Amino acid sequence: MKIVVGSGKGGTGKTTVSLGLSLSLAENKMPVQYIDCDVEEPNAHLFFKEAEFQKRDVEVLVPEIDKAQCNFCEECAKFCAYNALAIFPNTALVFNEMCHSCGGCKIVCPQGAISEVKRKIGEIHTAIANNKVQISYGKLNVGETQSPPLIRAVKKEIADKNIAIIDAPPGTACPFVETIRHGDFCLLVTEPTPFGLHDLKTAVEVVSLIGVPFGVLINRSDIGDSSVEEFCSNEKIPVLMKIPNDRNIAVAYSNGMPITEADPKYKLEFMELHRKIYERVGNHKR
Ligand code: SF4
Ligand code: SF4
């Protein structure tokens, strides 16, 4: 089962929740994988200080133009929907960062002047942490714009027999969409503030369009106002768990300690959260 933990905006407690859920399941001897798809700023691995990570490169294919064969006809540039090619009377340029590796320019080139070469966009790091949780995270190269191929590669680490807790990138743009594709459930973490409500509405719209079942977790539930709960009630969106504001949890988090260690009562609460999600997804996906 693939449970994606997302949020319309950063700083809502997405990683706190992902870690709490993963560690609680692992403690109950359930096969858990933690998949950190927040590849621009992965941080969950910092909570597994003892883990020894193995890393491997992730590459994409980009075009390379042989100027000796090119007649500068511009067919490739006309084809490219991402403006990743610029052809001038005597030269041809490839803007690798804009290329989406579709391979189309190579196919349309009448001169056979285009070949494909590998370009490293980031790394995948994997470890078995505390002998319980298998953790994989992607790390995008600094300045790299194409995170979806790396996110796809990280998701390939998921084994079908496991419960994968997938920490999604914040926001609702392409990286988030790539993360929730083929997910079984999306848990949207929000907070009861006007900003939280605004971004939750956007996230609900996107997840609904993609067709992944979802529910809400309200973090710092005793601050702000009741507008998030009213929205969920009106839209018949299940609120599956609430975590009140607690300075001790925030301090523990900043010291690299997960919520389930800071306050062990949450182990049971996260197991209950998993039960509710499991009920919604259906027994066959466990
Ligand atoms: S389509 Fe081929 S020949 Fe034409 S400009 Fe592009 S690389 Fe050169
Ligand atoms: S591979 Fe696709 S996206 Fe990349 S330059 Fe060629 S046509 Fe454009």
Side-chain angles (χ1 to χ4, degrees):
M1 180 160 75
K2 302 185 193 89
I3 302 171
V4 180
V5 181
S7 65
K9 73 180 189 70
T12 56
K14 191 170 48 62
T15 301
T16 296
V17 170
S18 303
L19 282 166
L21 191 51
S22 305
L23 294 170
S24 303
L25 292 169
E27 195 157 309
N28 281 273
K29 303 201 181 329
M30 299 176 96
V32 186
Q33 273 185 272
Y34 192 111
I35 304 292
D36 194 347
C37 287
D38 191 356
V39 297
E40 288 184 47
E41 207 170 350
N43 64 351
H45 59 284
L46 301 174
F47 290 81
F48 300 98
K49 297 181 188 74
E50 309 301 321
E52 289 181 20
F53 284 90
Q54 308 287 320
K55 70 173 180 180
R56 63 182 170 81
D57 293 345
V58 175
E59 297 165 324
V60 294
L61 292 174
V62 292
E64 189 172 71
I65 298 176
D66 179 350
K67 294 192 184 73
Q69 290 188 63
C70 175
N71 64 5
F72 310 105
C73 69
E74 297 187 26
E75 288 305 314
C76 55
K78 283 183 208 153
F79 176 86
C80 182
Y82 303 100
N83 297 318
L85 299 165
I87 309 298
F88 300 99
N90 292 310
T91 194
L93 299 177
V94 180
F95 303 106
N96 285 336
E97 291 74 17
M98 295 164 78
C99 173
H100 283 54
S101 303
C102 73
C105 52
K106 183 182 176 200
I107 294 169
V108 302
C109 174
Q111 297 295 111
I114 298 181
S115 55
E116 289 177 309
V117 293
K118 289 178 180 172
R119 185 173 77 86
K120 180 183 167 184
I121 58 167
E123 295 166 349
I124 292 180
H125 297 240
T126 303
I128 307 282
N130 307 342
N131 292 325
K132 289 177 188 166
V133 180
Q134 186 179 327
I135 173 166
S136 301
Y137 70 94
K139 193 172 173 196
L140 196 67
N141 283 354
V142 173
E144 180 58 56
T145 55
Q146 296 299 324
S147 63
L150 180 54
I151 290 170
R152 277 194 291 279
V154 182
K155 284 168 65 184
K156 279 190 186 151
E157 297 287 309
I158 299 171
D160 280 346
K161 64 180 173 56
N162 291 338
I163 302 169
I165 308 301
I166 307 174
D167 194 347
T172 51
C174 300
F176 175 68
V177 172
E178 188 59 54
T179 303
I180 62 170
R181 281 177 62 213
H182 311 302
D184 295 308
F185 191 86
C186 183
L187 181 67
L188 293 171
V189 181
T190 188
E191 54 191 16
T193 62
F195 284 130
L197 176 62
H198 176 273
D199 294 333
L200 175 65
K201 283 180 178 173
T202 311
V204 163
E205 212 172 312
V206 171
V207 180
S208 302
L209 274 173
I210 294 171
V212 175
F214 63 95
V216 164
L217 183 151
I218 305 179
N219 194 19
R220 294 186 276 272
S221 57
D222 50 351
I223 61 163
D225 55 34
S226 60
S227 53
V228 164
E229 289 207 60
E230 283 163 16
F231 169 72
C232 290
S233 168
N234 291 339
E235 298 297 320
K236 301 193 172 26
I237 298 168
V239 176
L240 301 176
M241 184 170 165
K242 293 181 193 173
I243 301 176
N245 192 36
D246 183 341
R247 191 171 187 278
N248 292 335
I249 293 174
V251 171
Y253 183 89
S254 64
N255 288 322
M257 184 191 289
I259 181 172
T260 43
E261 269 181 52
D263 189 342
K265 80 168 187 228
Y266 281 107
K267 292 176 187 173
L268 274 180
E269 296 207 19
F270 279 113
M271 289 309 291
E272 177 62 10
L273 171 66
H274 173 255
R275 189 192 64 73
K276 289 176 181 170
I277 292 173
Y278 176 66
E279 266 179 14
R280 281 172 166 76
V281 172
N283 295 342
H284 67 288
K285 286 282 187 186
R286 191 171 186 174

